[in-house]
Amino acid sequence: MTEKEIIFRLATRADLPSIVRMLADDELGSQRERFENPLPESYYSAFEQINQDSNHELIVAERNGEVIGTLHLMFLPSISFQGRLRAQVESVRIDKRFQSQGIGSEMMKWVMERATQRGAHAVQLTTHKSRVDAHRFYERLGFEGSHLGMKMSLK
Amino acid sequence: MTEKEIIFRLATRADLPSIVRMLADDELGSQRERFENPLPESYYSAFEQINQDSNHELIVAERNGEVIGTLHLMFLPSISFQGRLRAQVESVRIDKRFQSQGIGSEMMKWVMERATQRGAHAVQLTTHKSRVDAHRFYERLGFEGSHLGMKMSLK
């Protein structure tokens, strides 16, 4: 293993503070997360639900023993497309100290390989309309911005 | 129960032909589904996966004993938003013979109630950029088209 090699593995409970720190570390995230010590229990119960469901993979990217990125890969069974599985990526974050080093690209390539391994016919994600750099990044990887992503908050 | 009341219920195996017929009954769907008799086995195995997972609800809308619509509601555990559950809707279809009667609106209102019941903090969906009428429909219901939905087919 070279010094710079990135390892992708399933997150453990012990990784949750690193994950929440990265989720909270941008303008949108800082308004909706609570990166506190100890972490609010709700993060741990969500982790348990994800961890016991084989269609969910909460992933950390690690380099030199340090967590530098995270993503949540999910496999969605579906009737459409002749009943084929689809993959969806959510909550992609890279530690701000290590951005613009090609880590995001390695993470997404890992996602494509993993999704292919699991038999998914497609990978989907949504990204905020304002994140024009992200759109270009995903387009370079082969994603097509074909859809409008719509959300509604519930009371 | 009035004659026009719509009932929402979990789909059974016996509903699959109606569901696939509706999925196949538009320009995009006709290219990717196989509405045949008997249905390809892949639809049934996808149904079994969905049916045994309590985070997935494949729904049919029924009126006067006839299936007139379908949707797939899924609940996605997530670390972000303080570990709160989110709801996602896929594969929404209404039988062409019954469109423009307000059925879609009733279906989505049912989705919002169900998602609230399950404790989801938000409902999300994507819709093809070309479906401008659908965007307006969802906006009227309170959805905001804040995201770009990106997809990539895998080999």
Side-chain angles (χ1 to χ4, degrees):
Chain A
M1 185 170 70
T2 69
E3 208 185 330
K4 289 203 167 170
E5 195 170 337
I6 297 172
I7 291 170
F8 296 93
R9 61 168 174 80
L10 283 177
T12 65
R13 278 178 73 93
D15 295 313
L16 274 178
S18 304
I19 293 171
V20 175
R21 179 178 55 75
M22 290 186 282
L23 290 175
D25 194 20
D26 72 11
E27 209 181 305
L28 289 172
S30 63
Q31 293 164 39
R32 56 200 191 198
E33 306 304 339
R34 283 173 58 200
F35 178 51
E36 297 163 8
N37 186 4
L39 278 186
E41 183 52 35
S42 58
Y43 287 112
Y44 289 99
S45 45
F47 174 80
E48 294 307 331
Q49 279 182 66
I50 292 167
N51 199 38
Q52 71 193 21
D53 188 334
S54 60
N55 277 334
H56 286 266
E57 298 183 351
L58 181 66
I59 300 294
V60 289
E62 204 177 64
R63 194 174 56 182
N64 301 332
E66 186 175 26
V67 170
I68 58 172
T70 182
L71 62 90
H72 182 166
L73 178 58
M74 44 190 89
F75 297 98
L76 308 176
S78 174
I79 299 297
S80 59
F81 284 92
Q82 301 180 36
R84 292 188 69 189
L85 201 65
R86 71 181 73 179
Q88 180 166 306
V89 196
E90 301 258 2
S91 306
V92 180
R93 290 293 187 287
I94 296 160
D95 189 310
K96 276 196 174 156
R97 294 170 295 162
F98 307 115
Q99 284 176 2
S100 309
Q101 296 181 13
I103 296 164
S105 171
E106 282 201 50
M107 283 169 67
M108 294 310 298
K109 281 173 189 161
W110 183 88
V111 161
M112 292 179 241
E113 275 172 34
R114 181 69 184 137
T116 304
Q117 237 174 37
R118 288 279 302 248
H121 72 94
V123 183
Q124 62 188 23
L125 58 86
T126 69
T127 163
H128 198 274
K129 272 182 170 175
S130 65
R131 298 192 175 174
V132 181
D133 286 353
H135 305 169
R136 275 196 289 258
F137 165 74
Y138 288 119
E139 276 164 6
R140 279 198 302 272
L141 289 167
F143 282 87
E144 202 190 336
S146 52
H147 284 63
L148 179 66
M150 306 191 81
K151 313 219 178 209
M152 177 170 42
S153 295
L154 298 170
K155 280 157 218 151
Chain B
M1 185 171 68
T2 68
E3 208 185 329
K4 287 204 169 168
E5 196 171 334
I6 297 173
I7 292 169
F8 295 93
R9 61 167 176 81
L10 282 177
T12 65
R13 279 178 73 93
D15 294 313
L16 274 179
S18 304
I19 293 170
V20 175
R21 179 178 54 76
M22 289 186 284
L23 290 175
D25 193 21
D26 72 10
E27 210 182 305
L28 290 171
S30 63
Q31 293 165 39
R32 56 200 190 199
E33 306 304 338
R34 283 173 60 201
F35 178 50
E36 296 163 8
N37 186 3
L39 278 184
E41 184 52 35
S42 58
Y43 288 112
Y44 289 99
S45 43
F47 174 79
E48 294 306 332
Q49 280 183 65
I50 292 168
N51 199 39
Q52 70 192 21
D53 188 334
S54 60
N55 276 334
H56 286 266
E57 298 183 351
L58 181 65
I59 301 294
V60 289
E62 204 176 63
R63 193 174 59 181
N64 300 332
E66 186 176 26
V67 170
I68 59 172
T70 182
L71 62 89
H72 182 166
L73 178 58
M74 44 190 88
F75 297 98
L76 307 176
S78 174
I79 299 297
S80 58
F81 285 91
Q82 300 180 38
R84 292 188 69 189
L85 201 64
R86 72 181 72 178
Q88 180 166 306
V89 196
E90 301 258 1
S91 306
V92 180
R93 290 293 188 286
I94 297 160
D95 188 310
K96 275 196 176 156
R97 295 169 295 163
F98 308 114
Q99 284 174 2
S100 309
Q101 296 182 12
I103 297 164
S105 172
E106 282 201 49
M107 284 169 65
M108 294 310 298
K109 281 172 189 160
W110 182 89
V111 161
M112 291 180 243
E113 276 172 33
R114 181 69 185 137
T116 303
Q117 237 174 38
R118 287 279 303 250
H121 72 94
V123 183
Q124 61 188 25
L125 57 86
T126 69
T127 162
H128 198 274
K129 272 182 172 175
S130 64
R131 298 192 176 176
V132 181
D133 286 353
H135 306 169
R136 276 196 289 258
F137 165 74
Y138 288 119
E139 277 164 5
R140 278 197 304 271
L141 290 167
F143 282 88
E144 201 189 338
S146 53
H147 283 64
L148 179 66
M150 306 191 80
K151 313 217 178 210
M152 176 169 42
S153 296
L154 299 170
K155 278 156 221 156

